Amino acid sequence: MITLTCRNLDIATFKHADVDLVDIAQSLGQQTRWNGMLGCHYSIAQHSVLVSEQLAPIGPAAQMAGLLHDASEAYLSDINSEVKKLLPDYQMLEERVQGIIFERFLRRVPHESVWKLHDTRVAVAEYEDLHPAFLRGVQLPETVGRIPQTIRPQCPDKAIREFMRSFYQIAQLIPRFPYTFDNWSNAAQ
């Protein structure tokens, strides 16, 4: 695979040096959530920013985990969870790539429980705001709820900018963040 930053990647040997913030933001901004079944362009980047915003009360490391929780999809693409269950090798690859991305930016792999509830709450809002017919007859656990804001899809360019802006703002709040501002993207090197 050749990325926006002109990196030729072999996903089978994916490593820390292959992770590039610009490539992640670009890809997630162009890819839609829910396999494009919402009737509008609603990107994984916008979804990730919303998840991250919900984690602000917990702290910047949790926010960064929320922002990056789907970053492996930049390199592997988003696959419907029902299909993913049928592909155990894909699941292992996704976990490995996601772990490498977390290690690159957070030095560790956070537990899914850090962001999972907020990811679900954003998903509920996505369906209520962008595909309300889907929820007819669906019983959601009362503890899930939804995020307070109404979701308005952004064009890909805006979603990419917001993803990058969020990353830089959050990174400034993390003490001893693993990288300086000029080396988050291999494109800058």
Side-chain angles (χ1 to χ4, degrees):
M1 159 185 13
I2 298 178
T3 69
L4 178 70
T5 59
C6 298
R7 301 185 59 74
N8 191 357
L9 303 182
D10 178 358
I11 204 69
T13 61
F14 193 80
K15 55 195 172 300
H16 292 97
D18 293 331
V19 178
D20 191 289
L21 180 62
V22 170
D23 289 332
I24 292 170
Q26 173 69 23
S27 180
L28 298 184
Q30 296 291 341
Q31 289 188 66
T32 59
R33 289 270 295 157
W34 308 106
N35 287 26
M37 298 294 180
L38 294 175
C40 61
H41 182 92
Y42 174 68
S43 71
I44 299 168
Q46 185 177 353
H47 164 83
S48 297
V49 169
L50 288 170
V51 172
S52 178
E53 289 171 353
Q54 305 312 304
L55 292 160
I58 299 171
Q63 275 189 281
M64 187 63 79
L67 185 67
L68 297 173
H69 80 279
D70 282 336
S72 64
E73 294 172 7
Y75 300 101
L76 302 174
S77 297
D78 186 18
I79 293 182
N80 176 288
S81 58
E82 295 302 312
V83 174
K84 208 180 283 187
K85 290 175 189 174
L86 303 172
L87 304 170
D89 290 344
Y90 176 88
Q91 290 176 36
M92 289 182 355
L93 179 62
E94 182 181 45
E95 287 175 19
R96 188 174 75 74
V97 170
Q98 186 63 53
I100 289 168
I101 293 167
F102 277 138
E103 288 170 356
R104 166 92 157 102
F105 294 118
L106 288 172
R107 289 194 183 135
R108 62 185 176 79
V109 179
H111 192 271
E112 182 181 71
S113 63
V114 170
W115 69 84
K116 191 60 180 168
L117 173 63
H118 299 285
D119 185 34
T120 303
R121 292 179 71 228
V122 171
V124 169
E126 290 166 357
Y127 268 116
E128 286 180 354
D129 297 345
L130 305 175
H131 196 338
F134 172 81
L135 288 174
R136 287 190 199 121
V138 174
Q139 286 290 85
L140 295 170
E142 290 181 24
T143 56
V144 172
R146 64 160 285 148
I147 61 172
Q149 65 263 54
T150 300
I151 296 176
R152 291 181 175 78
Q154 300 170 338
C155 69
D157 288 344
K158 182 171 183 180
I160 293 164
R161 284 192 310 272
E162 288 297 311
F163 186 93
M164 296 290 287
R165 181 196 56 77
S166 293
F167 182 92
Y168 288 117
Q169 284 183 339
I170 296 164
Q172 291 178 18
L173 301 173
I174 299 176
R176 295 184 307 279
F177 193 75
Y179 301 97
T180 59
F181 282 106
D182 60 351
N183 69 359
W184 289 333
S185 171
N186 295 321
Q189 297 175 356

